[in-house]
């Protein structure tokens, strides 16, 4: 009986030591993982261009952005009042491409879950090659080189490609590669985009949930079949185009909120996209 009591005491003592050790480890882990900044101290970067008369649309799009005055000024009762009508194609300026844009069974703008439009993001800088070659195609080597420095792209992250072409917006000629508009402009489009094989690799091997870049299209200017769009959108991955200020973001440690106008049945829409710098 005495031996049993001693053994029981030892077991309780060992259990107490284990609990103390566990609590200590959790406390240390919590201290290590504590955010460097509080929610109120986050630095927010606006990644959206304003919609106005300078907003760029695809060259053969017959309409641009219109902001019509319906009422503006002091009323008969003495208070100020203003109201406007906006007219805009879905695809232009900083905007979202919903999967249905290039995939018959794709999600429409209003069907996209918020989880696909918010979350952790990485920025892959390909500007050195892109600015040296207007027809540059972002390949998997560029992504793997980035991962060698920063680690593997996290599951279900957004990937933003910084090509450097944002510095040309809204200069049509510098941004698109031609000042022409209409059907005649299409053969003369020259700007970087994502290689179709890379788009599919990102979808299948890296399981990303959205992709964006600072050019007019996910595909490069000379694309005829928009294959990068097809590869991404058949995997229900939305795209962000004409993204602004990517040069202001670090490679990692950012959280993105990308909320488009909620157009029922829409293939795309004007996008307000912002990023919080977490580190």
């Amino acid at each position: 009986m005495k031996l049993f009591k001693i053994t029981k005491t030892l077991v309780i003592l060992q259990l107490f030591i284990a609990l103390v050790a566990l609590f200590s480890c959790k406390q240390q882990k919590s201290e290590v993982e504590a955010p460097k900044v509080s929610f109120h101290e986050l630095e927010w970067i606006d990644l959206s261009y304003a919609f106005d008369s300078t907003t760029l649309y695809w060259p053969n799009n017959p309409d641009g952005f219109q902001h019509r005055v319906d009422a503006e000024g002091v009323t008969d009762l003495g208070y100020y009042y203003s109201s406007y009508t906006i007219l805009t194609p879905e695809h232009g300026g900083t905007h979202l491409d919903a999967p249905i844009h290039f995939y018959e069974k794709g999600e429409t703008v209003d069907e996209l879950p918020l989880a696909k439009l918010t979350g952790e993001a990485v920025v892959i800088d390909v500007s050195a090659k892109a600015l040296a070659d207007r027809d540059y195609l972002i390949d998997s080597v560029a992504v793997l080189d980035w991962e060698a420095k920063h680690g593997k792209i996290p599951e279900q992250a957004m990937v933003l490609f910084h090509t450097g072409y944002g510095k040309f917006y809204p200069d049509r000629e510098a941004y698109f590669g031609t000042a022409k508009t209409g059907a005649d402009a299409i053969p003369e489009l020259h700007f970087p985009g994502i290689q179709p094989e890379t788009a599919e690799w990102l979808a299948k091997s890296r399981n990303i949930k959205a992709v964006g870049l600072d050019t007019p299209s996910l595909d490069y200017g000379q694309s005829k079949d928009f294959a990068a769009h097809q590869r991404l959108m058949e995997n229900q991955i939305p795209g962000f185009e004409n993204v602004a200020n990517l040069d202001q973001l670090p490679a990692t440690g950012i959280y993105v909120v990308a909320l488009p106008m909620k157009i029922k049945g829409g293939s795309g829409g004007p996008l307000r996209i912002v990023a919080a710098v977490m580190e």
Side-chain angles (χ1 to χ4, degrees), residues 110 121 124 135 140 152 173 177 198 223 228 234 272:
D110 58 303
I124 299 179
D135 296 323
S140 57
K152 188 175 180 180
E173 182 172 10
T198 305
S223 175
E234 66 190 10
R272 187 63 184 270

Side-chain angles (χ1 to χ4, degrees), residues 45-57:
I45 305 296
D46 193 346
L47 305 182
S48 316
Y49 293 113
F51 280 79
D52 58 20
S53 61
T54 68
T55 297
L56 295 179
Y57 291 84

Side-chain angles (χ1 to χ4, degrees), residues 76 87 125:
D76 294 339
L87 300 171
D125 188 348

